[in-house]
Amino acid sequence: MLRPDTFALTALLALMTALGPLAMDLYLPSFPEIGRTLHASPSQVQLTISFYMLGFAVGQLFFGPISDRFGRKPVLSFSLVVFCLGTLACAVAPSIAALIAARVLQGAGAAGVIVLARTVVRDLYDGARAAREMALMGAIMGIAPILAPVVGGVLEEWLGWRSGFVLILVAGLAAMVVVRRLLPETVPPSRDDAKLVQGSLESFGIVMRNKAFLAYLGIVTASFSGLFAYISGSPFVMQSVYGLSPTGFGLFYGVTSLGFISGALTAAHVVMRIGFDRTIGIGAVGVLVGGIGTLVAVGVAPTSMTALAAALAVFLFGFGLAMPQAQAGTLQPFPDRAGAASSLVGCVQQTVGAAVGAIVGLALNTTAWPMVIAIAATGVITFVIWITTRQVRASAHRRSS
């Protein structure tokens, strides 16, 4: 088993969380082809993302509290089984309705993997140290959004869209083996079965009444919704509006994702010196500037992919700075309820993100405006929440110090 406070354990947790982005991003270049082969409209294909996120949101409500009772490792193993079953169903789906249903199951399984990886970090670390681990995990898992669309585009052109889900299934099966052999248990199982449901509801209530939690949750949710607007809209915008091929879209998506990795690596480097709340503030400025920049890029240079890519990279750089630190902030007040807190964070951010993505999908037309308007709006909201909740967050930080 890997020992705590080692880079190997951080890398393992990051690779576990990378399954979610892999399942999200690998098949994005295949959106037009999925629509053609399954006789579905763009908005119907987009629902495969929104319903994945719905399953993801609901799954997190269960896996976190259950892991507080049964331990992290067995619940993580079970969630990987669910993930693999959902992925297999995606690979053989005969219709768009079947694919959407399979994505719900896949998302529920991915929820357990990600929420438990974050919870393990809270089990082992505290304060800025936990934020640094989140940032390092974000930087490592950020490789997935870069490579996945490129690999997905190549698979789409050579083997068809189903081959992407086969590759995701292989990754899920490999993760099951790695977790069983290398992941240590960080919380011993509890023996109190009778109070499992009651205790979970009480934990949710305690967490939701914490003002600092709500402030950090707002930052997480708003910034993530901007990311999801990009994920939902970019396959059609970049291929149908800008004329990119599946492989070309994968490369475009990968290049912009470098912004996220740069932000996460920067956060890991500076957070121990300036604190995670100030790091969030720099990230909030980044998502604001990048979000507004996408509006300027489309309005001033509507045919320039370079201008749009630059603005998106700035947005994702800010996201990489703010998101991991804000997630650490949501868990900071709850060392004994980390599973419940992590579940609530995931459920809220994924539900709101799914709704934003669905709206973008329905509004898609022959321009990039629906996508960039949503990205800009979430950038503004993230910055406003950061500014208006500074006193609440500072007060909570003084109490925990």
Side-chain angles (χ1 to χ4, degrees):
M1 297 296 169
L2 297 177
R3 291 181 289 112
D5 206 22
T6 62
F7 179 76
L9 180 58
T10 300
L12 172 60
L13 294 173
L15 292 174
M16 293 298 100
T17 59
L19 283 178
L22 184 68
M24 176 68 70
D25 299 332
L26 188 72
Y27 85 128
L28 291 179
S30 299
F31 268 30
E33 182 62 21
I34 290 174
R36 286 191 291 269
T37 58
L38 298 184
H39 308 291
S41 66
S43 61
Q44 288 177 313
V45 178
Q46 191 281 329
L47 287 177
T48 63
I49 292 184
S50 292
F51 274 81
Y52 171 88
M53 302 307 291
L54 179 62
F56 202 106
V58 174
Q60 293 196 62
L61 287 177
F62 294 96
F63 284 118
I66 290 173
S67 74
D68 290 337
R69 159 63 182 86
F70 294 102
R72 311 303 188 206
K73 188 169 181 176
V75 178
L76 178 56
S77 297
F78 175 74
S79 68
L80 283 168
V81 171
V82 175
F83 176 81
C84 289
L85 289 175
T87 304
L88 177 61
C90 289
V92 299
S95 66
I96 191 63
L99 181 59
I100 290 171
R103 289 283 285 174
V104 175
L105 185 62
Q106 188 187 39
V113 178
I114 292 180
V115 73
L116 289 170
R118 290 199 303 256
T119 304
V120 168
V121 170
R122 184 60 188 89
D123 291 339
L124 298 175
Y125 310 109
D126 195 21
R129 182 71 174 83
R132 180 175 179 271
E133 289 300 309
M134 291 284 195
L136 284 172
M137 288 169 57
I140 295 171
M141 70 175 283
I143 297 172
I146 292 177
L147 296 181
V150 178
V151 173
V154 173
L155 288 174
E156 152 67 24
E157 294 189 4
W158 286 86
L159 300 174
W161 65 268
R162 297 182 190 274
S163 61
F165 287 107
V166 173
L167 180 59
I168 297 170
L169 176 60
V170 172
L173 294 173
M176 292 173 62
V177 175
V178 172
V179 166
R180 181 178 179 83
R181 294 186 177 182
L182 298 180
L183 185 70
E185 179 58 77
T186 56
V187 169
S190 166
R191 295 183 178 275
D192 196 353
D193 288 325
K195 294 184 178 180
L196 176 59
V197 175
Q198 180 183 353
S200 297
L201 294 176
E202 290 176 353
S203 293
F204 287 148
I206 291 171
V207 170
M208 288 298 292
R209 288 193 294 271
N210 186 286
K211 292 182 179 180
F213 170 84
L214 294 176
Y216 285 118
L217 177 63
I219 295 170
V220 169
T221 302
S223 59
F224 179 81
S225 295
L227 172 69
F228 202 63
Y230 176 43
I231 292 173
S232 298
S234 59
F236 292 109
V237 169
M238 301 316 301
Q239 294 183 73
S240 299
V241 178
Y242 287 88
L244 292 178
S245 67
T247 302
F249 165 71
L251 291 171
F252 178 91
Y253 192 90
V255 168
T256 58
S257 295
L258 287 172
F260 171 75
I261 290 186
S262 299
L265 286 174
T266 301
H269 180 69
V270 305
V271 67
M272 297 294 287
R273 289 188 286 129
I274 69 174
F276 67 79
D277 207 59
R278 189 174 297 177
T279 306
I280 293 171
I282 299 172
V285 173
V287 297
L288 173 68
V289 172
I292 294 176
T294 63
L295 291 178
V296 175
V298 172
V300 175
T303 61
S304 173
M305 286 186 288
T306 301
L308 181 58
L312 288 168
V314 172
F315 178 90
L316 292 173
F317 177 81
F319 179 78
L321 278 167
M323 179 71 164
Q325 321 313 313
Q327 285 180 329
T330 62
L331 304 182
Q332 178 65 24
F334 310 107
D336 299 326
R337 294 183 172 86
S342 184
S343 290
L344 276 175
V345 172
C347 180
V348 173
Q349 79 176 63
Q350 306 295 342
T351 301
V352 176
V356 170
I359 293 171
V360 170
L362 289 173
L364 284 174
N365 47 38
T366 57
T367 72
W369 283 113
M371 181 183 76
V372 298
I373 288 172
I375 293 172
T378 57
V380 171
I381 293 170
T382 300
F383 182 77
V384 169
I385 293 174
W386 179 73
I387 286 289
T388 58
T389 61
R390 296 179 72 178
Q391 186 173 353
V392 170
R393 301 192 317 273
S395 177
H397 181 67
R398 286 193 296 268
R399 287 196 300 270
S400 63
S401 299

